[in-house]
Amino acid sequence: METANTYDFQSLVELRVEFLQIAFRGNEPGKVKTHIADFYVKGVMSRTCALIDGFITLIEAGNHIGAATLVRQHLETLGRLNVLRTLTPEQIHQLISGVAFGSIKDENGQKYRDGHVIDILKVELPWVKKIYDEGNK
């Protein structure tokens, strides 16, 4: 039985190209001062592009369950990026030194595991928690 997927991902592909152009703008020497956290952000952007590519591939193949998993992973990435702006210089140094994001602790001693970063993100984006929970079923 054939299934015809008629999804138009052109706008998503165009956004991805624009995203990459913004991500690597200012890489020219002497143009922009680079902060140590910028290296983490560029890694996040690379991961995001890979997740978008995988999402498109899975949807076009009719694998909606696999695509839903990538949406959950993207939300986890968004949650980490959201938390990044609140980290202390010491925590950022830990991150850049190779300490796993989920091993770094917040001011209350709670580790920034996926569920915790989603709970933090839902304060600003309430819809995130429901989508994340659906992806964990």
Side-chain angles (χ1 to χ4, degrees):
M1 179 173 150
E2 286 186 43
T3 58
N5 292 323
T6 58
Y7 302 105
D8 179 14
F9 290 111
Q10 187 58 38
S11 60
L12 187 57
V13 170
E14 289 170 6
L15 282 172
R16 181 187 179 282
V17 169
E18 183 179 346
F19 184 70
L20 285 173
Q21 289 171 343
I22 291 169
F24 295 100
R25 185 183 308 159
N27 277 354
E28 303 84 21
K31 288 265 186 175
V32 177
K33 186 175 180 181
T34 302
H35 186 276
I36 194 163
D38 291 340
F39 294 105
Y40 184 80
V41 171
K42 289 180 191 249
V44 165
M45 294 177 109
S46 178
R47 175 185 166 94
T48 296
C49 288
L51 290 171
I52 290 169
D53 290 344
F55 179 83
I56 291 170
T57 300
L58 290 169
I59 289 292
E60 288 178 338
N63 186 345
H64 299 106
I65 294 171
T69 300
L70 295 186
V71 170
R72 183 185 52 79
Q73 289 177 355
H74 185 66
L75 290 176
E76 291 166 354
T77 301
L78 179 61
R80 289 187 202 107
L81 188 58
N82 178 58
V83 167
L84 181 67
R85 64 190 173 138
T86 67
L87 296 181
T88 65
E90 180 184 327
Q91 291 168 317
I92 290 173
H93 181 72
Q94 288 177 328
L95 190 61
I96 299 301
S97 297
V99 175
F101 204 102
S103 296
I104 297 172
K105 295 180 181 179
D106 67 12
E107 65 278 355
N108 298 317
Q110 187 172 357
K111 291 181 179 181
Y112 286 117
R113 303 233 183 234
D114 294 335
H116 185 46
V117 299
I118 294 298
D119 286 339
I120 293 168
L121 183 60
K122 78 176 181 183
V123 172
E124 293 181 52
L125 302 171
W127 57 268
V128 165
K129 179 71 171 158
K130 181 179 179 188
I131 302 292
Y132 182 77
D133 288 346
E134 286 294 320
N136 277 332
K137 287 185 177 179

